[in-house]
Amino acid sequence: MYQAWYSYYGEFLALGIWGILLTLLRRVLFGRLCKEAALGNGGKGKMLKAMTLKFEKSYELNVGIYDRPAFVQKYLCQEKKLGIRLGQWRRLPERWAALILCVGLVETAVLRYLRYDPVFCQTRLVAAVTAAAMVCIAFLWFESDSLWEQTRVYLLDYVANTLYPRQIHVYESFGEASEASEMPEASPEEEEKQEPGKRLVLEKEEEQIFQEVLSDFLGSST
């Protein structure tokens, strides 16, 4: 009885269970990625560190990054989880379900050509369709596209509203400091007449960032 049942459904049942595990694993990986992207500056992932370093170095070399959505998409496509790129993880369970269905159709056609019992051929085809349907139900239930879209939005927000303003602030301050060093020194009376808004005043944290960027710039130019 068991051997007969296994011959009809065993292999396709195993393929269906494996597809469900892939769906669950994708959900977990995308959930972690979304949380990491939401942290922004507080994140410790390799992808965020690489994005930050690339963005800062581009402004350091006066190149700039103008297409920020493409910049974010590139790192999302390059990132690997368990040796598989995120772009492939995004459609992996769906492709697995299609593969199960294709295997079932090909096997049924071959068995029919070899003149096997029609009932046996139909049962194998039903087993393949059932396994593929199990995987489809799983990835519809544990839908991950929303997590992917949230991750992309969080990364775009981090690049556009954190990295970009910070770089603009640092390099505008650097330009103002260079212009101020080239101007002749003003007398105490002239300094008192200057408007408060025109003075370059850096907070302690901003001054530290400025010094780090300036030291990296001078180090790369030697």
Side-chain angles (χ1 to χ4, degrees):
M1 180 69 179
Y2 173 77
Q3 291 181 351
W5 178 87
Y6 184 80
S7 65
Y8 283 116
Y9 302 103
E11 297 89 345
F12 288 110
L13 179 63
L15 291 175
I17 293 174
W18 183 247
I20 295 174
L21 292 177
L22 287 177
T23 305
L24 292 174
L25 185 58
R26 181 181 66 176
R27 175 75 182 187
V28 172
L29 292 176
F30 280 20
R32 291 179 180 176
L33 182 69
C34 186
K35 290 180 181 179
E36 185 71 24
L39 291 175
N41 282 335
K44 299 181 180 179
K46 293 182 179 180
M47 184 176 69
L48 274 174
K49 291 180 179 179
M51 288 177 62
T52 303
L53 181 61
K54 174 69 174 179
F55 201 91
E56 291 177 349
K57 289 299 181 182
S58 66
Y59 276 88
E60 182 179 305
L61 299 175
N62 296 323
V63 177
I65 294 175
Y66 303 100
D67 193 348
R68 288 186 283 274
F71 176 76
V72 169
Q73 192 71 20
K74 181 188 74 171
Y75 278 92
L76 279 174
C77 293
Q78 288 179 346
E79 180 72 3
K80 286 185 177 182
K81 297 294 183 182
L82 302 178
I84 302 175
R85 298 188 186 276
L86 288 178
Q88 296 174 331
W89 268 114
R90 193 180 179 188
R91 292 288 177 262
L92 188 59
E94 289 85 347
R95 292 174 180 174
W96 188 261
L99 179 64
I100 294 174
L101 189 58
C102 290
V103 169
L105 291 173
V106 171
E107 183 186 53
T108 302
V110 172
L111 292 177
R112 287 290 294 165
Y113 177 77
L114 296 176
R115 301 180 183 278
Y116 274 73
D117 184 10
V119 176
F120 177 76
C121 298
Q122 293 175 4
T123 307
R124 293 291 288 176
L125 180 60
V126 170
V129 173
T130 303
M134 289 168 53
V135 180
C136 291
I137 293 172
F139 64 66
L140 288 174
W141 184 267
F142 300 103
E143 184 268 333
S144 299
D145 278 346
S146 59
L147 289 176
W148 174 274
E149 189 62 25
Q150 288 178 43
T151 303
R152 194 178 67 86
V153 170
Y154 290 149
L155 291 177
L156 278 172
D157 176 72
Y158 172 64
V159 171
N161 298 321
T162 301
L163 290 181
Y164 180 70
R166 187 170 69 191
Q167 294 304 308
I168 293 299
H169 174 75
V170 168
Y171 283 95
E172 281 183 349
S173 301
F174 177 76
E176 292 176 3
S178 300
E179 292 175 1
S181 63
E182 294 175 358
M183 294 178 62
E185 295 183 359
S187 62
E189 293 80 6
E190 293 176 348
E191 290 181 355
E192 292 178 358
K193 294 179 181 179
Q194 289 181 355
E195 297 180 6
K198 292 184 178 179
R199 294 181 182 178
L200 179 62
V201 179
L202 294 178
E203 296 180 358
K204 185 176 180 180
E205 182 180 357
E206 294 172 344
E207 185 177 357
Q208 183 179 1
I209 295 174
F210 172 75
Q211 293 296 335
E212 291 177 358
V213 173
L214 182 60
S215 61
D216 291 340
F217 176 76
L218 294 176
S220 63
S221 60
T222 57

